């Protein structure tokens, strides 16, 4: 059974940084795309960033320049470097991994940006 386990969320002050990570276990599959989505209170889940096995990254336009996604293909792990965080970034961040035929979600990690 495939499990996506996120870690590295938490409480941070405005202007701070976090680097959550997500490790996929239980599968020897090659995930064509891995990434992050987020859901803020009262809002729909939205794209943060995705990255392919060839390291082609795609970002939400509003997050370009502040967030950077990276992956370790050998370890089926994806990372999200988040800089200059502000209260609007407060959300549950969900890890995502997709093969050519299916996709998986993690349970999410909470990121709270507050002074």
């Amino acid at each position: 059974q495939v499990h996506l386990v996120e870690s590295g969320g938490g409480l941070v002050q405005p202007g701070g940084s976090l680097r959550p990570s997500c490790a996929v276990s239980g599968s020897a599959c090659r995930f064509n795309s891995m990434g992050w989505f987020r859901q803020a209170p009262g809002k729909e889940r939205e794209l943060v960033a995705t990255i392919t096995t060839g390291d082609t990254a795609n970002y939400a336009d509003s997050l370009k320049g502040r967030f950077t996604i990276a992956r370790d293909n050998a370890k089926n792990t994806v990372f999200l470097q988040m800089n200059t965080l502000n209260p609007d970034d407060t959300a549950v961040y969900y890890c995502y991994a997709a093969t050519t035929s299916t996709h998986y979600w993690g349970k999410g990690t909470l990121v709270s940006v507050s002074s």
Side-chain angles (χ1 to χ4, degrees):
Q1 189 172 4
V2 177
H3 293 281
L4 279 65
V5 180
E6 301 103 333
S7 61
L11 175 64
V12 63
Q13 293 185 341
S17 298
L18 283 174
R19 188 175 184 257
S21 62
C22 171
V24 182
S25 63
S27 174
C29 290
R30 186 180 184 89
F31 294 100
N32 298 326
S33 178
M34 299 182 73
W36 296 88
F37 288 70
R38 69 183 184 183
Q39 187 166 16
K43 296 186 177 180
E44 295 185 353
R45 191 173 298 191
E46 62 178 4
L47 168 73
V48 174
T50 60
I51 186 168
T52 68
T53 51
D55 287 338
T56 298
N58 177 52
Y59 296 92
D61 287 342
S62 62
L63 301 177
K64 289 179 180 178
R66 290 196 301 124
F67 288 17
T68 303
I69 191 170
R71 67 186 285 175
D72 183 334
N73 291 325
K75 296 181 179 180
N76 265 348
T77 301
V78 62
F79 309 91
L80 184 68
Q81 178 67 45
M82 307 189 294
N83 297 328
T84 320
L85 288 162
N86 62 67
D88 289 340
D89 296 315
T90 295
V92 177
Y93 284 70
Y94 294 93
C95 181
Y96 166 87
T99 68
T100 55
S101 59
T102 191
H103 62 276
Y104 304 91
W105 292 99
K107 293 183 178 180
T109 184
L110 177 62
V111 171
S112 294
V113 185
S114 175
S115 56

